[in-house]
Amino acid sequence: LILSSGINAEYGGGKDCTVVLHLLYLALQQQASPIPSVLGVCIESGETFPEVEQFIDDVVEVYPITLVRIKAGIKEGLEILMKEHHDIKAILMGTRRTDPYSSHLTEFAPTDPGWPQILRV
C-alpha cells in the first residue's frame, strides 16, 4: 500500500479520512520496517478554517505521509493528480454511504464516467 504500488490516500483533515490514514499506518506497521512514506492528496475546493489547516499540518508530522495539496474542485483535482502521478491506480478514501452521491458505492468502486479513471477504496 505504498505509492509505488499505485495506491495513495485522500486526506483532507476530516474524521473519516483521518481514521483511514490511521488504519493504513497500522497495516504498514505490520508489513514493513521502516514504514514507507505514503503519497496523500488533499484537494482543497474551497476555504477552510485555520484550525483544520493546522490539524492537517500536525497529522503530516505524525504519520509517514507526503501530502500533495491541490487547490481545485474534486474532478479537476483528480485530473491534476493523475497528470503528475501516472502510476496511481487506487485512492483510499473516507467516504460514507450517507455522503452525497455515495449511496451506490461499494468497497471498491471505479470513478464515474467522465472522471479520471481511478479505483475508489
Side-chain angles (χ1 to χ4, degrees), residues 27-61:
L28 289 173
Q29 265 187 325
Q30 293 180 353
Q31 295 177 9
S33 180
I35 298 170
S37 180
V38 173
L39 178 70
V41 61
C42 179
I43 299 174
E44 301 169 329
S45 59
E47 294 295 318
T48 60
F49 294 104
E51 296 85 359
V52 172
E53 294 297 322
Q54 184 60 54
F55 180 73
I56 292 170
D57 292 342
D58 292 345
V59 166
V60 169
E61 292 295 320

Side-chain angles (χ1 to χ4, degrees), residues 29-111:
Q29 265 187 325
Q30 293 180 353
Q31 295 177 9
S33 180
I35 298 170
S37 180
V38 173
L39 178 70
V41 61
C42 179
I43 299 174
E44 301 169 329
S45 59
E47 294 295 318
T48 60
F49 294 104
E51 296 85 359
V52 172
E53 294 297 322
Q54 184 60 54
F55 180 73
I56 292 170
D57 292 342
D58 292 345
V59 166
V60 169
E61 292 295 320
V62 172
Y63 292 96
I65 184 170
T66 301
L67 190 65
V68 174
R69 291 179 186 247
I70 300 172
K71 292 192 181 293
I74 296 172
K75 184 177 181 180
E76 182 185 0
L78 286 176
E79 290 168 348
I80 293 168
L81 177 69
M82 298 302 291
K83 284 179 186 172
E84 294 176 1
H85 301 278
H86 305 287
D87 56 346
I88 294 175
K89 295 175 182 61
I91 186 166
L92 303 175
M93 303 180 73
T95 304
R96 300 178 191 192
R97 290 192 200 274
T98 56
D99 287 347
Y101 312 108
S102 299
S103 61
H104 68 286
L105 294 179
T106 59
E107 289 81 6
F108 300 92
T111 50

